[in-house]
Amino acid sequence: MATSEEATRMASQEHLDLFKQGVEVWNKWRAGNPLIHPNLSHARFGKRSIDLSNMNLSATNLSFCSMTHDNLSGANLNGANLMGSYLMGANLCRATLHGTRLNVTNLSEANLTEADLSDAVLSLTIFGNVDLQGVKGLERVKHASSSILDIQTVYRSRGNIPEIFLKGAGVPDSFIDYARSLVGKPIGYYTCFISHSSRDEIFVKRLYADLQSNNVRCWFAPEDLKIGDHYHQRIDESIHLYDKLVLILSEHAVQSAWVEREVVAAREKEDQLRHEVLLPIRLDDAVMQTSKAWAADVRRRWHIGDFTQWKHHNTYQQALERLLRDLKAEQKPKD
């Protein structure tokens, strides 16, 4: 029999059962029981990511939970306890976290676009490879102690992180000066993931080298997949991390189940972020003639860049310039 102390640490079975019934059932129960503070502490929700978008998790004990890659977009996490929880790669776009406890919470690679952290409590909170420039309320965060920010977070945020937040997180003044120096620099290009068939590798290597030489940070499996990486997981993580997916369409790609899977992942990301992620280009006319549903949908919905004459230097350079134009990151207007 569990002690009273253990009972407070462990998830309530009643609350867990309600949670597993989905957002609609949970939100309806919360609306009818506003004074109850649900306890889902230490809960494990399975290995597959789950959709918790717009869920009312306010004042919920979610300490030491694993919600890696879960979709929490638009969720109400006000006053929730996320101490010690794993939210690596989670989608927290437009989520509200007013007064949320984020002590020792791992937010590495999470999507925090337009998330509101006003009055959230931080202590040893991990911000690894996170874009903070679109996060609201960073000036009002309460720092119980220092947190962890890596260089990737500074680069991805392009230095647009409030100084008061950096100081509260324990960032040295010399590093704050460096972060500040990034603000005035041109934003440059979006980062991109290159989706392709391995049978088009000659073209892909050429394009990859040219994008890199133009300071476009990009990823494609043969060059960047590390020994021991789990292929499915690494691909999904990369699509999640990079801003755009450059889709190389050819007769080989149209028949590729891998390419189709990557396009589906990019479409899901577009739906979550509500802006375009996919940048398709073609090496031949296969996509214009195919009856494959996913490829025909790409043909109907997107303008497809023309690289059919890529072996001719001048024509290739013109197509490359158009692609670089489309990869230019938009400058955000200054207040």
Side-chain angles (χ1 to χ4, degrees):
M1 184 174 179
T3 65
S4 59
E5 182 180 352
E6 289 172 333
T8 60
R9 289 193 296 108
M10 292 161 35
S12 161
Q13 190 60 51
E14 176 192 359
H15 298 166
L16 192 56
D17 290 342
L18 283 163
F19 179 87
K20 289 179 178 179
Q21 293 181 58
V23 174
E24 186 176 351
V25 171
W26 175 270
N27 284 353
K28 185 176 180 180
W29 173 72
R30 290 301 309 273
N33 299 274
L35 300 181
I36 292 179
H37 292 181
N39 182 12
L40 298 173
S41 178
H42 291 80
R44 293 293 178 267
F45 306 125
K47 293 183 179 179
R48 297 185 64 181
S49 59
I50 53 178
D51 187 359
L52 307 176
S53 56
N54 301 308
M55 183 174 255
N56 181 5
L57 293 166
S58 60
T60 299
N61 184 357
L62 291 160
S63 59
F64 301 100
C65 288
S66 178
M67 291 181 283
T68 303
H69 297 294
D70 288 347
N71 180 13
L72 288 149
S73 60
N76 179 355
L77 289 157
N78 296 336
N81 179 5
L82 285 164
M83 183 176 73
S85 290
Y86 292 89
L87 284 91
M88 291 89 76
N91 180 13
L92 289 157
C93 180
R94 300 182 303 279
T96 55
L97 298 95
H98 298 176
T100 305
R101 289 183 61 186
L102 295 170
N103 313 74
V104 204
T105 305
N106 194 331
L107 292 165
S108 296
E109 301 179 356
N111 177 9
L112 293 172
T113 306
E114 296 185 18
D116 193 341
L117 271 64
S118 299
D119 300 315
V121 180
L122 273 58
S123 174
L124 298 178
T125 309
I126 302 173
F127 295 94
N129 198 11
V130 176
D131 187 351
L132 293 175
Q133 63 181 333
V135 180
K136 301 176 182 177
L138 288 180
E139 299 90 344
R140 293 177 52 188
V141 162
K142 298 177 180 178
H143 299 273
S145 70
S146 61
S147 290
I148 301 168
L149 285 79
D150 67 359
I151 189 66
Q152 282 296 102
T153 293
V154 175
Y155 274 122
R156 289 194 68 190
S157 306
R158 299 183 176 97
N160 289 310
I161 308 173
E163 183 172 332
I164 190 172
F165 174 85
L166 292 172
K167 285 182 176 292
V171 176
D173 288 342
S174 57
F175 196 80
I176 291 174
D177 290 339
Y178 169 70
R180 193 186 297 117
S181 73
L182 294 176
V183 177
K185 294 186 177 180
I187 289 178
Y189 296 100
Y190 289 115
T191 59
C192 64
F193 172 89
I194 302 176
S195 175
H196 68 288
S197 163
S198 60
R199 297 178 69 178
D200 296 317
E201 190 170 350
I202 294 174
F203 170 80
V204 174
K205 286 186 173 181
R206 179 178 178 180
L207 180 66
Y208 175 78
D210 287 336
L211 290 175
Q212 292 279 68
S213 67
N214 280 279
N215 298 314
V216 179
R217 289 179 53 224
C218 48
W219 193 99
F220 84 103
E223 183 75 18
D224 297 314
L225 196 65
K226 297 176 183 177
I227 295 173
D229 276 348
H230 294 285
Y231 195 85
H232 283 283
Q233 180 180 349
R234 189 78 169 95
I235 295 295
D236 288 344
E237 288 175 352
S238 297
I239 292 173
H240 176 81
L241 280 176
Y242 286 79
D243 299 317
K244 302 289 184 181
L245 183 139
V246 175
L247 171 63
I248 299 175
L249 293 162
S250 68
E251 59 176 323
H252 310 303
V254 166
Q255 301 301 322
S256 170
W258 285 106
V259 172
E260 179 180 0
R261 185 176 185 274
E262 291 161 6
V263 171
V264 169
R267 292 291 305 278
E268 290 175 352
K269 183 174 179 178
E270 286 190 338
D271 290 341
Q272 291 174 359
L273 300 183
R274 299 180 184 177
H275 64 70
E276 290 187 356
V277 171
L278 210 59
L279 282 176
I281 63 177
R282 64 187 178 96
L283 304 185
D284 53 39
D285 294 329
V287 70
M288 312 307 289
Q289 302 164 356
T290 184
S291 59
K292 285 269 186 180
W294 71 268
D297 185 58
V298 171
R299 178 179 70 224
R300 288 189 294 267
R301 294 167 63 97
W302 281 269
H303 171 72
I304 301 175
D306 188 353
F307 275 79
T308 55
Q309 302 297 316
W310 66 273
K311 293 181 180 179
H312 299 281
H313 177 76
N314 291 341
T315 310
Y316 170 81
Q317 288 300 323
Q318 291 173 2
L320 177 64
E321 287 300 319
R322 286 193 292 269
L323 179 59
L324 288 170
R325 179 195 62 198
D326 292 338
L327 281 169
K328 279 189 177 179
E330 297 176 3
Q331 292 277 359
K332 294 188 175 182
K334 295 182 179 179
D335 296 331

